[in-house]
Amino acid sequence: MKLSILSSTVAMAIVTAATHPAIAADGVPGNAQLLQLIQQQQKAIEELKSALSTAQKTSEEAAMKADEAVTVKDAESEEAWWKRVKIGGVIEAEATSTSSFGNNDSSDLTLAKVELYFDANPVKYVNTHVQLLFEDGSNNITLDEAFVTLGDTGEFPAYLQVGQFAVPFGNFDTDMSTDPVTKDMAETKEAAALVGAEWGGFSLGGYVYNGDSQRSGNGDHINQGGLFAGYTGETGSVKYDFGAEYISNLADSDGLTDTLGATATTLNNYIPGASVHGSLGFGPATLRGAYIAALEDFDAAEIPFAANGARPGAWHIESAYTITLLGKETTFAATAQGTEEALALGLPEYRYGGAITVGIVEHVAVTAEYLHDEDYEISNGGTGEDAHTATLKLAVDF
């Protein structure tokens, strides 16, 4: 850089000399000309120094901006990565007091459930979900769900879902602490492939899977499946949600498969099932209803009822009302439930109950619940007795 300044100074001197020919006749400049030349050269040097300083400052600012751009890009990239991943779950602890159909009283304090899930959106139109579950009575943490969904119904109605999940058969939403009997009977988790579509509040689709139960002599194949359709909408202050589902083999539900035991893989026939459900929301109030039933009878050696083959069914009605009491969100819920020919599944014939849930602080809630169960009559193989369960639950979600 100093060499450039010197070259520029010499060049300036040459230019100055060329533009000032009025020099003494003997070729030697006079004092006035020398002073003028020195002043001009000094001015040129100052201008060059100023230009150099400006250039250096501009270069430093450009380098700083480049570094900042890289830092911002990295930060944005990291922020975007975190935005594409969500981790959450729930921990539930329960204290219960129970009087069984056999008039046996008991009480317990348990870690009722621990659920942990990971949702990720690695690229556009690809979403993943992994859910781990621990429940009281099990000594293991299980892979409850894991699936990939391809599509974005916000841009295009169709989507594909593949993996292990609860297939869309039945709706088990509740504001009670205990799951409804419809879920105990019919929830079906399988490794499945589902094709669906959603638009304008409508939803429909179908799925196929290789179930845990199989027909005798039919081999182990992907030969079970189901269909579903529904509509969700809102008119003024009223929200509504209605749906209907069909499954080719109700025996694949978790509750029925456990009941069937070893006979699950030697069924005489697949037993189809159907489900309807609906809910209405009126501001703080919600009404729900659901009905699920087998469409054919099981063989008496598979699931019996009163010396015949059972055709199990279950229904669930619930009302809930949410208000703010003492600054805390409080939900009051009441339910009436029942089953048909489901004695072998260990379910009551009728269930009535109520629950109060109070949001203590954000993400923390306490629920007090009471359930009254009525067993099947002695003539149908039951005890004809009643049972009672009181539960106090602390739930923390994150």
Side-chain angles (χ1 to χ4, degrees):
M1 185 62 69
K2 292 181 178 179
L3 182 59
S4 299
I5 295 174
L6 180 60
S7 300
S8 299
T9 303
V10 173
M12 182 62 70
I14 294 173
V15 172
T16 304
T19 56
H20 293 77
I23 302 179
D26 57 1
V28 178
N31 291 335
Q33 286 83 6
L34 286 173
L35 180 59
Q36 185 177 7
L37 286 173
I38 291 172
Q39 290 175 342
Q40 291 175 344
Q41 292 171 359
Q42 186 65 33
K43 182 180 180 181
I45 291 172
E46 294 298 330
E47 290 176 351
L48 288 172
K49 286 182 178 180
S50 176
L52 176 61
S53 177
T54 301
Q56 288 178 331
K57 184 177 180 180
T58 301
S59 176
E60 290 173 356
E61 290 177 350
M64 186 178 297
K65 288 181 179 179
D67 291 340
E68 290 177 352
V70 171
T71 302
V72 170
K73 183 178 180 181
D74 291 342
E76 289 177 346
S77 176
E78 183 177 356
E79 183 181 17
W81 182 83
W82 282 111
K83 285 183 177 180
R84 297 195 302 269
V85 177
K86 181 180 179 181
I87 301 175
V90 65
I91 298 175
E92 296 180 357
E94 290 182 349
T96 58
S97 177
T98 302
S99 176
S100 69
F101 292 137
N103 295 318
N104 296 317
D105 296 337
S106 63
S107 61
D108 202 1
L109 179 63
T110 63
L111 178 62
K113 181 170 73 172
V114 178
E115 187 176 274
L116 181 64
Y117 69 83
F118 306 85
D119 290 344
N121 172 219
V123 294
K124 191 174 182 180
Y125 304 122
V126 177
N127 293 280
T128 64
H129 174 79
V130 176
Q131 182 169 300
L132 305 177
L133 178 66
F134 168 86
E135 290 184 299
D136 180 44
S138 170
N139 294 321
N140 299 314
I141 297 175
T142 61
L143 179 63
D144 190 45
E145 292 185 334
F147 58 84
V148 177
T149 303
L150 304 180
D152 183 350
T153 55
E155 296 186 14
F156 186 75
Y159 65 93
L160 171 67
Q161 183 170 305
V162 180
Q164 178 175 301
F165 52 90
V167 300
F169 180 71
N171 183 289
F172 314 118
D173 292 343
T174 181
D175 281 298
M176 301 291 292
S177 175
T178 303
D179 293 330
V181 293
T182 49
K183 182 175 182 178
D184 292 334
M185 188 187 82
E187 183 180 51
T188 306
K189 290 186 178 180
E190 295 286 350
L194 179 151
V195 176
E198 296 179 3
W199 76 97
F202 289 96
S203 62
L204 60 86
Y207 52 91
V208 294
Y209 63 91
N210 180 358
D212 295 326
S213 65
Q214 296 292 331
R215 197 158 41 197
S216 179
N218 200 44
D220 194 12
H221 302 287
I222 304 174
N223 55 5
Q224 290 114 307
L227 302 169
F228 63 93
Y231 180 71
T232 300
E234 183 175 350
T235 301
S237 61
V238 180
K239 298 180 180 179
Y240 40 86
D241 181 3
F242 301 100
E245 298 87 25
Y246 168 85
I247 194 167
S248 65
N249 187 19
L250 186 61
D252 286 320
S253 73
D254 299 344
L256 284 167
T257 300
D258 289 342
T259 301
L260 287 164
T263 63
T265 56
T266 58
L267 296 177
N268 285 340
N269 293 292
Y270 289 152
I271 305 300
S275 168
V276 292
H277 59 85
S279 68
L280 292 172
F282 309 88
T286 302
L287 296 176
R288 300 186 180 95
Y291 179 71
I292 295 175
L295 299 180
E296 298 177 8
D297 295 340
F298 281 89
D299 188 82
E302 297 167 351
I303 299 181
F305 182 76
N308 297 309
R311 183 180 293 191
W315 55 272
H316 166 220
I317 299 173
E318 181 180 309
S319 63
Y321 192 83
T322 301
I323 58 175
T324 300
L325 289 178
L326 302 176
K328 307 297 183 182
E329 184 178 85
T330 304
T331 298
F332 297 88
T335 185
Q337 306 174 27
T339 65
E340 301 165 357
E341 302 187 12
L343 176 65
L345 280 68
L347 298 175
E349 185 173 17
Y350 297 107
R351 170 174 288 173
Y352 308 99
I356 301 174
T357 300
V358 180
I360 304 301
V361 294
E362 188 176 9
H363 302 295
V364 181
V366 172
T367 301
E369 177 189 73
Y370 172 78
L371 296 177
H372 170 83
D373 289 352
E374 297 180 5
D375 197 10
Y376 284 85
E377 296 297 327
I378 296 176
S379 60
N380 290 324
T383 64
E385 300 290 340
D386 297 340
H388 311 271
T389 303
T391 303
L392 183 64
K393 179 174 75 175
L394 173 66
V396 179
D397 65 83
F398 55 91

